[in-house]
Amino acid sequence: MRIPILKLHNYLLISIQIDLDDQTAIQFQEDLLNKIHGSGATGVVIDLTSVDIIDSFIAKVLGDVVTMSDLMGAKVVLTGIQPAVAMTLIDLGIHLQDVPTALDLEQGLIKLRQELEE
């Protein structure tokens, strides 16, 4: 199953509404990078509100997506991180300390605009 990636002005918006398995995560990574390249997006908001738990592979892919997007010139903001997901990321050593976060998609867009204006 593919995760929809929406374009809004120069931003890409992703709301992950399904349980992520390894294949879906890899497909998402590839789709997002292709969409950044094809659209010239300068920012990405990834909403994780519906993601209740992640495993080590999905956590690594998420960290890689943030790094790869940055390398391609797109700033990433993560929104809606659930407590169990936050604990898993830290337990696995994936700190994402340089990645802006917000409570929800609306605040994520505001944060993204602020990050890109700096």
Side-chain angles (χ1 to χ4, degrees):
M1 172 167 252
R2 285 193 132 108
I3 297 170
I5 301 172
L6 306 174
K7 187 170 186 311
L8 177 67
H9 306 293
N10 287 333
Y11 305 147
L12 298 178
L13 307 178
I14 301 104
S15 181
I16 299 175
Q17 299 288 322
I18 59 171
D19 288 331
L20 288 173
D21 57 54
D22 293 358
Q23 184 60 39
T24 304
I26 293 294
Q27 186 66 56
F28 166 65
Q29 177 178 295
E30 187 176 309
D31 289 349
L32 178 57
L33 297 176
N34 286 332
K35 191 82 166 185
I36 290 169
H37 183 263
S39 69
T42 57
V44 177
V45 177
I46 302 174
D47 182 46
L48 302 170
T49 302
S50 296
V51 178
D52 294 323
I53 193 160
I54 59 173
D55 63 20
S56 59
F57 182 77
I58 303 300
K60 181 190 178 319
V61 170
L62 183 60
D64 289 349
V65 161
V66 170
T67 302
M68 291 175 189
S69 298
D70 189 50
L71 287 171
M72 295 182 69
K75 185 75 175 173
V76 175
V77 174
L78 298 177
T79 64
I81 296 175
Q82 300 298 319
V85 172
M87 288 187 291
T88 300
L89 289 170
I90 297 304
D91 286 346
L92 295 171
I94 300 172
H95 296 283
L96 302 174
Q97 63 262 24
D98 296 328
V99 180
T101 59
L103 289 177
D104 58 33
L105 192 57
E106 183 179 1
Q107 290 182 8
L109 280 168
I110 293 168
K111 176 81 92 170
L112 184 58
R113 281 191 212 111
Q114 291 170 347
E115 290 290 324
L116 292 172
E117 287 174 1
E118 292 179 355

